[in-house]
Amino acid sequence: VNGRGFGRKTLYIRDAVKYLKRKYDTNEPFDLAKQLDIIVLITELDRSLNGYFQYFKRNKIIYINSHLKEKHMRLVAAHELGHAILHVKTNSIYMQNSTFFVSQKLENEANIFAAELLLPEDLSEKYPEYFTFQQVSIAEEMPIEYITHMSTK
């Protein structure tokens, strides 16, 4: 699971995540949000909505659907934290099956942020070369988009 990087924005995101992990000594999205004064609300949302980020009256707010399992909440928190850091004044909605409300570019960037935050840096060394993206995705309990992103390091 290895390959080459793809662009300046990806490198910027990678560096930003490394900086945050070093500065705050954590890769846990809920801990980072707290230390960055980002409000996280776990609340009942429509089942089609995993979560979203809102910038309102100089407050950064992440909403996470209370119907999600704890592990899924962590993924959504990492993704929305990406929006809170990378797209501060763009209110973003992370839909489970649709991105009608946001640009695919912003979603991809938030996914890259989440992958960089949650997955181990040595992912390509952790699994044998014959493992598929799907196998690694299952083993890491992460969306396949995160795994394929990490393979481009």
Side-chain angles (χ1 to χ4, degrees):
V1 196
N2 54 35
R4 296 204 177 264
F6 56 90
R8 248 184 246 146
K9 187 67 174 199
T10 299
L11 294 175
Y12 168 78
I13 295 168
R14 199 170 280 161
D15 289 345
V17 171
K18 281 182 185 174
Y19 170 79
L20 290 170
K21 287 163 99 172
R22 257 193 324 268
K23 181 174 182 178
Y24 297 104
D25 194 31
T26 186
N27 74 326
E28 286 302 319
F30 290 103
D31 293 343
L32 274 176
K34 184 175 183 176
Q35 292 186 61
L36 294 168
D37 292 322
I38 298 170
I39 301 163
V40 177
L41 300 174
I42 298 173
T43 186
E44 191 169 331
L45 301 172
D46 185 281
R47 289 199 183 267
S48 67
L49 192 60
N50 290 327
Y52 63 96
F53 167 70
Q54 179 182 39
Y55 183 73
F56 182 70
K57 294 187 178 181
R58 290 191 274 167
N59 291 298
K60 295 178 182 179
I61 308 166
I62 293 172
Y63 297 86
I64 298 176
N65 196 329
S66 61
H67 296 294
L68 300 176
K69 293 183 179 174
E70 194 172 318
K71 226 171 238 249
H72 197 179
M73 284 185 188
R74 184 173 178 256
L75 292 173
V76 174
H79 176 95
E80 298 305 334
L81 188 59
H83 285 301
I85 291 168
L86 302 171
H87 316 127
V88 178
K89 295 192 178 170
T90 305
N91 290 321
S92 302
I93 297 177
Y94 178 36
M95 304 285 286
Q96 184 172 350
N97 297 316
S98 172
T99 55
F100 293 120
F101 300 100
V102 292
S103 136
Q104 190 60 47
K105 180 181 176 213
L106 298 181
E107 288 304 302
N108 289 341
E109 290 172 0
N111 283 342
I112 291 167
F113 183 95
E116 290 290 336
L117 183 64
L118 298 175
L119 289 168
E121 289 183 27
D122 64 346
L123 189 65
S124 62
E125 297 163 18
K126 190 174 175 182
Y127 296 96
E129 282 188 28
Y130 58 81
F131 265 49
T132 66
F133 292 139
Q134 186 171 5
Q135 288 171 315
V136 175
S137 173
I138 291 166
E140 292 291 329
E141 298 182 71
M142 294 284 174
I144 198 161
E145 308 85 63
Y146 291 13
I147 306 302
T148 56
H149 157 70
M150 294 300 280
S151 74
T152 62
K153 282 191 163 186

